[in-house]
Amino acid sequence: MDTRIAAATVLTAVLRHGQSLTQALSRVNDKVAARDQGLLQELCFGVARYAPRYEVLADNLLSKPIKSKETEIKALLFLGFYQLEHTRIPDHAAINSVVEATKKLKKSWATGLLNATLRRFNRERALADETAAPVAASYQSDPQFLYAHPQWLINMLRKAWPNDWQALLTANNQHPPLTLRINQQRISRADYSAQFDHPHRLNNLSRQALTLNKAGDITGFPGYHEGWFAVQDEAAQLCADLLDLKPQQRVLDACCAPGGKTCHILEQQPALAELVALDVDAQRMARVEQNLTRLGLQATLKVADAGDTASWWDGQPFERILLDAPCSATGVIRRHPDIKLLRRADDIAKLAQLQQALLAALWPTLAAGGRLLYATCSVLPRENEKSVQQFLADTPDAVHTPITDVAWGTERPFGRQLFPQEHGHDGFYYCILSKQV
């Protein structure tokens, strides 16, 4: 399959049918030549990252919008924009590649349209470079164009973080680093670093984290098959310390897939009495099992809805619970840029309701004196400190335990918030809730 047609197929599945980018890519990836699969991924992720910007461009450069049934053509137009702005492909080749794709799709009506639109855009870009003038004064100040985020999300972030929203938006558009978590049950970070010949640095926030200067094929890294490491962002690695794990504790990982935190808990404290890991999705749970096996770890896995405790809980309390709650994932947009396309403003209130329902359902399973760590990969207070605030107001024996003596994040009235950092960690939120004796 032609690489641009493949990319347009993937992006149509996201833009029109609401599929995740990862899911859509998995269905098409093998249909292109192996040498082009890296380019396919770059094009798809790149267009998803800048799609809100390209929506503004299309609105201003087209005399009338492309019909929804022709989303493939819209995706090809966006591919043209992205190739011109963000790749080393020569301009004429970038334009010609998408024009030729319209011919292969037998969409002759779109051939001239895309050719003219992309050439106009390229002329305006060149003129702007020569004169230092804006590309088009009518829309160059549009926040969606400038920040490549949907307007609703820009508004929420600006309101929530008046001093940080621009840096946050900028960080969301960066390529994320590849960070490893070294399995301390197999090898120390220092020993792994000494034999790891890829340029890297040792992270400061997590004692097990090691970040590469440039991403690579992890299956070729030393110790991959022996379970010496796993891929996990540094911010996500903070949870094991926050749980304050002790030998013979019974621990619950309530929404565990894909299992990074599950594995880290077992690496951190191998003498647990039991770790019960839940997820509602059987396919995702299969990935958890694969990760545990490669790392040489064991847990009790249950495919179940964490909120439906009657279907899985045996009545024996847990001393520790990790609730990595379903959320908007607005802290990991740089890893999943399709979030910009799939999320809607009204999703946030619905997610907050789900988070509070999960907190309420799981709280009775926590032992007196136990600790529940509430975590999200969101940067929106409505899903984080506001959800916790509501839960505390509704739950007399729940107490907020401040996270102190740490060098990361921003202290909030409840918990701590991390923002995504260029060349650093993702956006994340943690809050410790303790149960009164």
Side-chain angles (χ1 to χ4, degrees):
M1 181 184 284
D2 176 89
T3 307
R4 275 69 181 183
I5 292 176
T9 301
V10 171
L11 292 165
T12 297
V14 177
L15 291 165
R16 187 176 180 187
H17 303 295
Q19 291 183 21
S20 75
L21 186 54
T22 302
Q23 179 186 32
L25 256 174
S26 69
R27 293 176 175 172
V28 175
N29 197 51
D30 292 340
K31 296 180 181 180
V32 303
R35 67 178 182 276
D36 294 328
Q37 289 177 0
L39 175 61
L40 173 63
Q41 179 164 316
E42 181 195 347
L43 293 175
C44 292
F45 273 75
V47 170
R49 184 172 289 116
Y50 291 101
R53 174 184 176 89
Y54 299 153
E55 290 283 2
V56 176
L57 272 175
D59 287 347
N60 282 270
L61 297 179
L62 296 172
S63 59
K64 59 182 179 180
I66 296 171
K67 295 178 180 178
S68 60
K69 68 178 181 179
E70 301 290 356
T71 304
E72 250 181 340
I73 299 303
K74 181 178 181 180
L76 285 171
L77 177 62
F78 286 11
L79 282 163
F81 291 150
Y82 178 75
Q83 289 181 140
L84 290 169
E85 284 198 313
H86 295 285
T87 72
R88 297 178 182 178
I89 300 169
D91 292 351
H92 70 278
I95 295 171
N96 190 58
S97 67
V98 298
V99 169
E100 287 301 311
T102 65
K103 297 176 182 177
K104 292 175 183 177
L105 288 171
K106 295 182 170 53
K107 302 279 188 179
S108 57
W109 65 267
T111 301
L113 176 68
L114 265 59
N115 186 49
T117 304
L118 291 171
R119 288 185 183 282
R120 176 186 167 188
F121 172 60
N122 212 32
R123 287 194 303 271
E124 292 183 355
R125 286 175 65 242
L127 180 62
D129 289 342
E130 290 174 8
T131 64
V135 174
S138 62
Y139 61 82
Q140 67 91 25
S141 60
D142 186 316
Q144 289 191 173
F145 178 81
L146 289 171
Y147 298 110
H149 281 66
Q151 189 64 53
W152 69 265
L153 183 54
I154 295 172
N155 294 343
M156 282 191 182
L157 293 174
R158 189 170 188 170
K159 181 179 180 180
W161 310 110
N163 298 321
D164 302 293
W165 66 278
Q166 290 172 301
L168 209 164
L169 293 170
T170 300
N172 281 350
N173 290 333
Q174 306 302 314
H175 289 269
L178 176 62
T179 299
L180 307 182
R181 184 191 72 245
I182 307 306
N183 182 355
Q184 58 195 313
Q185 296 304 315
R186 297 294 177 92
I187 189 171
S188 72
R189 183 173 72 167
D191 287 345
Y192 189 83
S193 176
Q195 61 180 287
F196 192 45
D197 58 2
H198 293 258
H200 64 276
R201 61 182 170 84
L202 303 183
N203 301 65
N204 296 323
L205 305 185
S206 168
R207 294 166 294 170
Q208 288 83 48
L210 178 156
T211 294
L212 278 70
N213 294 358
K214 184 179 180 181
D217 177 11
I218 63 168
T219 62
F221 293 170
Y224 172 78
H225 297 289
E226 293 79 14
W228 288 4
F229 68 87
V231 173
Q232 188 180 39
D233 181 75
E234 186 180 18
Q237 294 185 36
L238 300 174
C239 81
D241 280 341
L242 294 174
L243 281 166
D244 188 29
L245 301 161
K246 307 294 184 187
Q248 296 307 305
Q249 286 179 334
R250 193 166 190 245
V251 179
L252 172 67
D253 187 352
C255 302
C256 69
K261 298 179 186 68
T262 310
C263 295
H264 194 193
I265 288 169
L266 293 165
E267 293 167 10
Q268 186 93 322
Q269 182 48 262
L272 294 176
E274 184 182 26
L275 173 59
V276 177
L278 306 177
D279 201 86
V280 72
D281 188 320
Q283 287 186 323
R284 284 166 57 82
M285 185 61 88
R287 286 186 60 196
V288 178
E289 189 168 13
Q290 291 168 3
N291 289 329
L292 286 165
T293 300
R294 185 177 66 83
L295 295 169
L297 305 167
Q298 290 186 327
T300 302
L301 305 183
K302 297 185 179 185
V303 177
D305 178 355
D308 181 15
T309 55
S311 69
W312 59 265
W313 186 40
D314 61 6
Q316 297 299 310
F318 298 96
E319 283 79 27
R320 297 288 186 269
I321 294 176
L322 169 62
L323 174 55
D324 188 2
C327 70
S328 63
T330 45
V332 293
I333 284 176
R334 59 187 186 165
R335 296 188 190 278
H336 304 283
D338 50 329
I339 290 167
K340 297 179 181 181
L341 307 175
L342 301 176
R343 289 279 180 267
R344 299 290 182 267
D346 59 1
D347 290 340
I348 308 307
K350 295 173 186 175
L351 286 164
Q353 290 176 351
L354 173 60
Q355 292 152 5
Q356 289 168 31
L358 284 168
L359 281 167
L362 292 171
W363 194 250
T365 73
L366 182 66
R371 170 177 292 196
L372 184 151
L373 179 62
Y374 178 77
T376 77
C377 54
S378 170
V379 293
L380 297 174
R382 182 68 183 86
E383 299 179 272
N384 297 338
E385 61 200 74
K386 298 296 183 182
S387 278
V388 170
Q389 182 181 28
Q390 183 62 56
F391 173 72
L392 288 169
D394 296 338
T395 314
D397 61 346
V399 178
H400 168 233
T401 300
I403 300 171
T404 57
D405 300 323
V406 296
W408 51 262
T410 300
E411 184 177 8
R412 305 302 300 160
F414 303 100
R416 295 186 76 89
Q417 180 72 60
L418 298 106
F419 296 133
Q421 303 293 312
E422 188 174 1
H423 308 303
H425 58 71
D426 290 338
F428 229 84
Y429 173 81
Y430 287 110
C431 186
I432 297 170
L433 298 171
S434 302
K435 196 171 199 176
Q436 290 182 326
V437 178

mmCIF file of all heavy atoms in Angstrom, residues 98-121:
data_model
loop_
_atom_site.group_PDB
_atom_site.id
_atom_site.type_symbol
_atom_site.label_atom_id
_atom_site.label_comp_id
_atom_site.label_asym_id
_atom_site.label_seq_id
_atom_site.Cartn_x
_atom_site.Cartn_y
_atom_site.Cartn_z
ATOM 1 N N VAL A 98 1.125 13.619 -2.098
ATOM 2 C CA VAL A 98 -0.292 13.560 -1.741
ATOM 3 C C VAL A 98 -1.178 13.758 -2.966
ATOM 4 O O VAL A 98 -2.274 13.202 -3.038
ATOM 5 C CB VAL A 98 -0.645 14.569 -0.622
ATOM 6 C CG1 VAL A 98 0.123 14.255 0.650
ATOM 7 C CG2 VAL A 98 -0.372 15.990 -1.048
ATOM 8 N N VAL A 99 -0.695 14.532 -3.934
ATOM 9 C CA VAL A 99 -1.456 14.695 -5.175
ATOM 10 C C VAL A 99 -1.558 13.349 -5.895
ATOM 11 O O VAL A 99 -2.631 12.955 -6.381
ATOM 12 C CB VAL A 99 -0.796 15.762 -6.079
ATOM 13 C CG1 VAL A 99 -1.424 15.744 -7.467
ATOM 14 C CG2 VAL A 99 -0.939 17.142 -5.448
ATOM 15 N N GLU A 100 -0.442 12.621 -5.955
ATOM 16 C CA GLU A 100 -0.452 11.306 -6.595
ATOM 17 C C GLU A 100 -1.344 10.326 -5.838
ATOM 18 O O GLU A 100 -1.971 9.455 -6.440
ATOM 19 C CB GLU A 100 0.971 10.759 -6.675
ATOM 20 C CG GLU A 100 1.839 11.447 -7.711
ATOM 21 C CD GLU A 100 1.249 11.320 -9.112
ATOM 22 O OE1 GLU A 100 0.893 10.198 -9.511
ATOM 23 O OE2 GLU A 100 1.134 12.357 -9.797
ATOM 24 N N ALA A 101 -1.414 10.481 -4.529
ATOM 25 C CA ALA A 101 -2.282 9.598 -3.732
ATOM 26 C C ALA A 101 -3.746 9.794 -4.106
ATOM 27 O O ALA A 101 -4.525 8.826 -4.129
ATOM 28 C CB ALA A 101 -2.070 9.854 -2.247
ATOM 29 N N THR A 102 -4.161 11.009 -4.403
ATOM 30 C CA THR A 102 -5.552 11.237 -4.824
ATOM 31 C C THR A 102 -5.842 10.509 -6.129
ATOM 32 O O THR A 102 -6.943 9.995 -6.334
ATOM 33 C CB THR A 102 -5.860 12.737 -4.980
ATOM 34 O OG1 THR A 102 -5.081 13.277 -6.053
ATOM 35 C CG2 THR A 102 -5.584 13.501 -3.705
ATOM 36 N N LYS A 103 -4.849 10.465 -7.021
ATOM 37 C CA LYS A 103 -5.040 9.753 -8.289
ATOM 38 C C LYS A 103 -5.189 8.252 -8.061
ATOM 39 O O LYS A 103 -6.042 7.597 -8.672
ATOM 40 C CB LYS A 103 -3.870 10.031 -9.225
ATOM 41 C CG LYS A 103 -3.730 11.495 -9.638
ATOM 42 C CD LYS A 103 -2.491 11.707 -10.501
ATOM 43 C CE LYS A 103 -2.308 13.168 -10.879
ATOM 44 N NZ LYS A 103 -1.068 13.395 -11.671
ATOM 45 N N LYS A 104 -4.356 7.712 -7.171
ATOM 46 C CA LYS A 104 -4.430 6.275 -6.881
ATOM 47 C C LYS A 104 -5.745 5.913 -6.209
ATOM 48 O O LYS A 104 -6.244 4.793 -6.351
ATOM 49 C CB LYS A 104 -3.248 5.870 -5.995
ATOM 50 C CG LYS A 104 -1.907 5.957 -6.708
ATOM 51 C CD LYS A 104 -0.756 5.652 -5.756
ATOM 52 C CE LYS A 104 0.590 5.804 -6.467
ATOM 53 N NZ LYS A 104 1.735 5.583 -5.562
ATOM 54 N N LEU A 105 -6.312 6.873 -5.480
ATOM 55 C CA LEU A 105 -7.623 6.650 -4.846
ATOM 56 C C LEU A 105 -8.773 6.901 -5.813
ATOM 57 O O LEU A 105 -9.936 6.776 -5.424
ATOM 58 C CB LEU A 105 -7.768 7.572 -3.626
ATOM 59 C CG LEU A 105 -6.913 7.225 -2.394
ATOM 60 C CD1 LEU A 105 -7.002 8.340 -1.367
ATOM 61 C CD2 LEU A 105 -7.343 5.898 -1.784
ATOM 62 N N LYS A 106 -8.411 7.306 -7.040
ATOM 63 C CA LYS A 106 -9.425 7.628 -8.062
ATOM 64 C C LYS A 106 -10.336 8.770 -7.603
ATOM 65 O O LYS A 106 -11.547 8.747 -7.787
ATOM 66 C CB LYS A 106 -10.245 6.388 -8.431
ATOM 67 C CG LYS A 106 -9.404 5.302 -9.109
ATOM 68 C CD LYS A 106 -10.240 4.117 -9.504
ATOM 69 C CE LYS A 106 -9.466 3.148 -10.396
ATOM 70 N NZ LYS A 106 -8.177 2.719 -9.865
ATOM 71 N N LYS A 107 -9.707 9.765 -6.971
ATOM 72 C CA LYS A 107 -10.416 10.967 -6.530
ATOM 73 C C LYS A 107 -9.917 12.153 -7.361
ATOM 74 O O LYS A 107 -9.292 13.088 -6.860
ATOM 75 C CB LYS A 107 -10.157 11.226 -5.040
ATOM 76 C CG LYS A 107 -10.560 10.080 -4.125
ATOM 77 C CD LYS A 107 -12.047 10.072 -3.836
ATOM 78 C CE LYS A 107 -12.400 9.046 -2.781
ATOM 79 N NZ LYS A 107 -13.833 9.034 -2.452
ATOM 80 N N SER A 108 -10.173 12.091 -8.656
ATOM 81 C CA SER A 108 -9.626 13.097 -9.559
ATOM 82 C C SER A 108 -10.094 14.509 -9.225
ATOM 83 O O SER A 108 -9.385 15.486 -9.464
ATOM 84 C CB SER A 108 -9.999 12.754 -11.004
ATOM 85 O OG SER A 108 -11.413 12.659 -11.147
ATOM 86 N N TRP A 109 -11.290 14.619 -8.647
ATOM 87 C CA TRP A 109 -11.809 15.945 -8.294
ATOM 88 C C TRP A 109 -10.918 16.639 -7.259
ATOM 89 O O TRP A 109 -10.882 17.878 -7.182
ATOM 90 C CB TRP A 109 -13.236 15.827 -7.739
ATOM 91 C CG TRP A 109 -13.317 15.070 -6.438
ATOM 92 C CD1 TRP A 109 -13.553 13.742 -6.295
ATOM 93 C CD2 TRP A 109 -13.144 15.595 -5.112
ATOM 94 N NE1 TRP A 109 -13.541 13.379 -4.960
ATOM 95 C CE2 TRP A 109 -13.296 14.516 -4.219
ATOM 96 C CE3 TRP A 109 -12.882 16.866 -4.597
ATOM 97 C CZ2 TRP A 109 -13.194 14.662 -2.840
ATOM 98 C CZ3 TRP A 109 -12.772 17.025 -3.224
ATOM 99 C CH2 TRP A 109 -12.938 15.922 -2.360
ATOM 100 N N ALA A 110 -10.173 15.828 -6.460
ATOM 101 C CA ALA A 110 -9.357 16.396 -5.384
ATOM 102 C C ALA A 110 -7.932 16.697 -5.825
ATOM 103 O O ALA A 110 -7.199 17.403 -5.112
ATOM 104 C CB ALA A 110 -9.336 15.448 -4.194
ATOM 105 N N THR A 111 -7.515 16.202 -6.983
ATOM 106 C CA THR A 111 -6.128 16.363 -7.421
ATOM 107 C C THR A 111 -5.745 17.834 -7.552
ATOM 108 O O THR A 111 -4.762 18.296 -6.962
ATOM 109 C CB THR A 111 -5.915 15.639 -8.760
ATOM 110 O OG1 THR A 111 -6.225 14.249 -8.595
ATOM 111 C CG2 THR A 111 -4.476 15.788 -9.223
ATOM 112 N N GLY A 112 -6.529 18.564 -8.302
ATOM 113 C CA GLY A 112 -6.245 19.984 -8.483
ATOM 114 C C GLY A 112 -6.427 20.779 -7.208
ATOM 115 O O GLY A 112 -5.668 21.728 -6.937
ATOM 116 N N LEU A 113 -7.432 20.407 -6.417
ATOM 117 C CA LEU A 113 -7.715 21.116 -5.161
ATOM 118 C C LEU A 113 -6.524 21.040 -4.218
ATOM 119 O O LEU A 113 -6.066 22.064 -3.677
ATOM 120 C CB LEU A 113 -8.964 20.530 -4.506
ATOM 121 C CG LEU A 113 -9.326 21.099 -3.133
ATOM 122 C CD1 LEU A 113 -9.779 22.554 -3.269
ATOM 123 C CD2 LEU A 113 -10.434 20.260 -2.481
ATOM 124 N N LEU A 114 -6.008 19.822 -3.983
ATOM 125 C CA LEU A 114 -4.878 19.669 -3.061
ATOM 126 C C LEU A 114 -3.619 20.306 -3.618
ATOM 127 O O LEU A 114 -2.851 20.947 -2.879
ATOM 128 C CB LEU A 114 -4.641 18.192 -2.753
ATOM 129 C CG LEU A 114 -5.316 17.688 -1.461
ATOM 130 C CD1 LEU A 114 -6.818 17.881 -1.511
ATOM 131 C CD2 LEU A 114 -4.960 16.239 -1.198
ATOM 132 N N ASN A 115 -3.393 20.155 -4.912
ATOM 133 C CA ASN A 115 -2.218 20.751 -5.542
ATOM 134 C C ASN A 115 -2.219 22.273 -5.366
ATOM 135 O O ASN A 115 -1.226 22.871 -4.933
ATOM 136 C CB ASN A 115 -2.184 20.372 -7.028
ATOM 137 C CG ASN A 115 -0.913 20.842 -7.711
ATOM 138 O OD1 ASN A 115 0.186 20.624 -7.220
ATOM 139 N ND2 ASN A 115 -1.062 21.512 -8.842
ATOM 140 N N ALA A 116 -3.355 22.900 -5.657
ATOM 141 C CA ALA A 116 -3.443 24.359 -5.570
ATOM 142 C C ALA A 116 -3.342 24.831 -4.117
ATOM 143 O O ALA A 116 -2.664 25.830 -3.818
ATOM 144 C CB ALA A 116 -4.758 24.830 -6.188
ATOM 145 N N THR A 117 -4.021 24.141 -3.216
ATOM 146 C CA THR A 117 -4.036 24.553 -1.807
ATOM 147 C C THR A 117 -2.645 24.452 -1.197
ATOM 148 O O THR A 117 -2.188 25.370 -0.486
ATOM 149 C CB THR A 117 -5.035 23.700 -1.009
ATOM 150 O OG1 THR A 117 -6.326 23.791 -1.601
ATOM 151 C CG2 THR A 117 -5.110 24.161 0.444
ATOM 152 N N LEU A 118 -1.956 23.346 -1.453
ATOM 153 C CA LEU A 118 -0.632 23.157 -0.870
ATOM 154 C C LEU A 118 0.387 24.111 -1.482
ATOM 155 O O LEU A 118 1.278 24.619 -0.787
ATOM 156 C CB LEU A 118 -0.189 21.698 -1.038
ATOM 157 C CG LEU A 118 -0.984 20.689 -0.194
ATOM 158 C CD1 LEU A 118 -0.622 19.260 -0.580
ATOM 159 C CD2 LEU A 118 -0.754 20.914 1.299
ATOM 160 N N ARG A 119 0.257 24.380 -2.773
ATOM 161 C CA ARG A 119 1.187 25.328 -3.399
ATOM 162 C C ARG A 119 0.942 26.743 -2.863
ATOM 163 O O ARG A 119 1.902 27.501 -2.643
ATOM 164 C CB ARG A 119 1.037 25.273 -4.927
ATOM 165 C CG ARG A 119 1.599 23.996 -5.527
ATOM 166 C CD ARG A 119 1.568 23.988 -7.044
ATOM 167 N NE ARG A 119 2.043 22.706 -7.551
ATOM 168 C CZ ARG A 119 3.324 22.339 -7.629
ATOM 169 N NH1 ARG A 119 4.261 23.182 -7.236
ATOM 170 N NH2 ARG A 119 3.657 21.166 -8.096
ATOM 171 N N ARG A 120 -0.306 27.082 -2.664
ATOM 172 C CA ARG A 120 -0.599 28.395 -2.077
ATOM 173 C C ARG A 120 -0.012 28.501 -0.671
ATOM 174 O O ARG A 120 0.616 29.509 -0.317
ATOM 175 C CB ARG A 120 -2.116 28.624 -2.041
ATOM 176 C CG ARG A 120 -2.499 29.933 -1.354
ATOM 177 C CD ARG A 120 -3.995 30.063 -1.196
ATOM 178 N NE ARG A 120 -4.338 31.145 -0.275
ATOM 179 C CZ ARG A 120 -5.564 31.381 0.176
ATOM 180 N NH1 ARG A 120 -6.587 30.618 -0.235
ATOM 181 N NH2 ARG A 120 -5.792 32.368 1.016
ATOM 182 N N PHE A 121 -0.224 27.469 0.123
ATOM 183 C CA PHE A 121 0.324 27.462 1.477
ATOM 184 C C PHE A 121 1.840 27.595 1.445
ATOM 185 O O PHE A 121 2.442 28.345 2.230
ATOM 186 C CB PHE A 121 -0.090 26.174 2.194
ATOM 187 C CG PHE A 121 0.577 25.969 3.529
ATOM 188 C CD1 PHE A 121 0.419 26.900 4.546
ATOM 189 C CD2 PHE A 121 1.372 24.854 3.773
ATOM 190 C CE1 PHE A 121 1.034 26.715 5.783
ATOM 191 C CE2 PHE A 121 1.985 24.670 4.998
ATOM 192 C CZ PHE A 121 1.821 25.600 6.002
#
